[in-house]
Amino acid sequence: MVRWGILGTGGIARTFASDLRLTDSGTVVAVGSRSDADPFADRFGIPNRHGSYESLVSDPDVDVVYVATPHPMHHDNAVLALRAGKPVLVEKPFTMNAAEARDIVAVARETGLFAMEAMWTRFLPHIATVRSWLADGLLGEIVTVTADHGQWFAEDPDFRLFAPKLGGGALLDLGIYPVSFASMVLGRPNRIMAMSDPAFTGVDAQTSMLFGYPGGAHALLTCTLRAKSPTRAAIVGTEARIEIEGDFYAPTTVSLFTRNGAPSQVRSDPKDRGLRHEADEVAERLAAGDLESPLMPLDETISIMETMDEVLAQP
Ligand SMILES: NC(=O)c1ccc[n+]([C@@H]2O[C@H](COP(=O)([O-])OP(=O)(O)OC[C@H]3O[C@@H](n4cnc5c(N)ncnc54)[C@H](OP(=O)(O)O)[C@@H]3O)[C@@H](O)[C@H]2O)c1
């Protein structure tokens, strides 16, 4: 059983700690907070409480550190853990930009320690079904990928998604899901067109993207902080298409429609909230002595951040 140390005590740290109870691949033994780790530790029955991240990453009981801070802190927090000799699972987006991502990966490789972006969608059962349909060549040639991720948030300048100093903006928080999904299916785009409009704080409130790929496929991806969208995804091929119901990034139903045959559908267990699958992947990789996951490789994380950099650089 992997012994987790959680760095940060916010919303996703709570979800992760609670989802870990659904698996026997790991348990949370420690939590670190800038201020007070006790309320979080009490709530989840965590024995080791640390009043600083430095103290958490030095805890000898911890096998792996889960970095659950806002994105601008991911780089420094992940490097802190790696330099203390701990493997890391780093929340999405891995970093603010590709330069920071490359630096974490360089430190992980230099120290010979496991690192992975916590793109939890990659490890969900319905995405495993998508990958197996793709690997079996059921779609023929892929023509189009579509995915959207829109959520409504009340306009609050202090809220993480609107605050520039906390890495606010639709693309980094929500757009990462469609961009990562397109990357999983089609790889790296060779043409990128993007359009953004700002929120009242200057971060991007809405970003829409059109990617082109060497084989002629297109991906049409959107994200917004201004409205709840269908959050569906589709992969359209010459022989068949895959449709993923909303929310495509969480456990849901996936269907395959062939041009002539009957559709097939796979439903996810509605009780499964999803985060435990990435924790199971980390446990499996650590047990195998692997330094990264083939399902979310570090070079792909860097490539995704390079794509996001280019999207954000466009007017
Ligand atoms: N996988 C998912 O589904 C999912 C969902 C939501 C968010 N996320 C990702 O997880 C990360 C954290 O998001 P969240 O919603 O959990 O954020 P949050 O609720 O604001 O919590 C962030 C935590 O980070 C710590 N922190 C360190 N420096 C901070 C600073 N300067 N300002 C505020 N907090 C700071 C705080 O813990 P202490 O004070 O205890 O140190 C805080 O509780 C983001 O990168 C986000 O993209 C992922």
Side-chain angles (χ1 to χ4, degrees):
M1 209 188 223
V2 166
R3 299 171 304 169
W4 287 91
I6 299 187
L7 191 153
T9 59
I12 198 61
R14 285 194 293 276
T15 308
F16 186 81
S18 133
D19 268 26
L20 260 191
R21 292 170 165 167
L22 304 173
T23 176
D24 55 11
S25 75
T27 185
V28 187
V29 297
V31 59
S33 170
R34 297 167 305 167
S35 46
D36 186 4
D38 282 336
F40 189 96
D42 289 343
R43 177 167 171 183
F44 295 104
I46 301 169
N48 302 7
R49 295 121 193 256
H50 298 276
S52 74
Y53 299 155
E54 288 76 11
S55 170
L56 171 78
V57 301
S58 308
D59 185 335
D61 291 343
V62 170
D63 297 323
V64 55
V65 169
Y66 169 55
V67 175
T69 48
H71 356 306
M73 293 86 202
H74 289 179
H75 170 270
D76 289 1
N77 296 159
V79 169
L80 179 77
L82 289 165
R83 291 277 177 221
K86 304 292 191 206
V88 287
L89 172 67
V90 183
E91 254 312 330
K92 47 55 59 178
F94 196 58
T95 48
M96 290 296 287
N97 53 51
E100 288 183 354
R102 282 192 287 270
D103 197 57
I104 295 179
V105 171
V107 176
R109 288 179 176 156
E110 179 200 323
T111 51
L113 290 165
F114 176 91
M116 191 178 96
E117 176 185 357
M119 176 38 76
W120 59 297
T121 306
R122 289 278 169 119
F123 311 100
L124 297 176
H126 74 286
I127 296 295
T129 302
V130 168
R131 266 200 311 275
S132 83
W133 285 341
L134 291 175
D136 290 346
L138 300 185
L139 269 62
E141 201 179 323
I142 294 173
V143 176
T144 320
V145 169
T146 59
D148 71 279
H149 193 176
Q151 304 288 348
W152 178 89
F153 297 103
E155 292 196 342
D156 171 357
D158 298 325
F159 178 49
R160 181 174 66 73
L161 273 83
F162 289 109
K165 68 175 194 301
L166 296 178
L171 182 69
L172 285 169
D173 201 87
L174 307 177
I176 179 73
Y177 289 97
V179 171
S180 182
F181 181 74
S183 170
M184 182 187 81
V185 177
L186 288 167
R188 188 189 181 99
N190 64 350
R191 287 158 291 159
I192 294 177
M193 294 170 69
M195 185 188 287
S196 286
D197 278 283
F200 67 107
T201 53
V203 303
D204 69 303
Q206 169 149 297
T207 294
S208 299
M209 297 157 268
L210 177 60
F211 295 169
Y213 297 84
H218 290 176
L220 193 55
L221 315 170
T222 63
C223 58
T224 180
L225 302 175
R226 302 185 58 207
K228 171 68 182 164
S229 68
T231 61
R232 294 199 186 104
I235 309 169
V236 180
T238 50
E239 302 301 319
R241 72 178 189 276
I242 293 171
E243 291 185 14
I244 309 179
E245 289 183 7
D247 300 322
F248 82 87
Y249 48 82
T252 187
T253 298
V254 61
S255 304
L256 179 81
F257 299 87
T258 59
R259 249 188 300 132
N260 304 313
S264 44
Q265 195 171 66
V266 177
R267 291 177 188 280
S268 286
D269 177 357
K271 292 192 296 296
D272 189 341
R273 294 166 57 200
L275 286 191
R276 72 183 168 99
H277 299 284
E278 64 180 2
D280 292 347
E281 173 71 2
V282 173
E284 202 176 317
R285 294 296 146 210
L286 290 177
D290 295 339
L291 298 185
E292 59 186 291
S293 164
L295 299 181
M296 188 66 260
L298 291 168
D299 285 342
E300 189 186 348
T301 286
I302 292 172
S303 158
I304 288 169
M305 291 313 305
E306 286 169 347
T307 298
M308 306 264 281
D309 281 359
E310 195 167 334
V311 168
L312 281 174
Q314 294 195 7

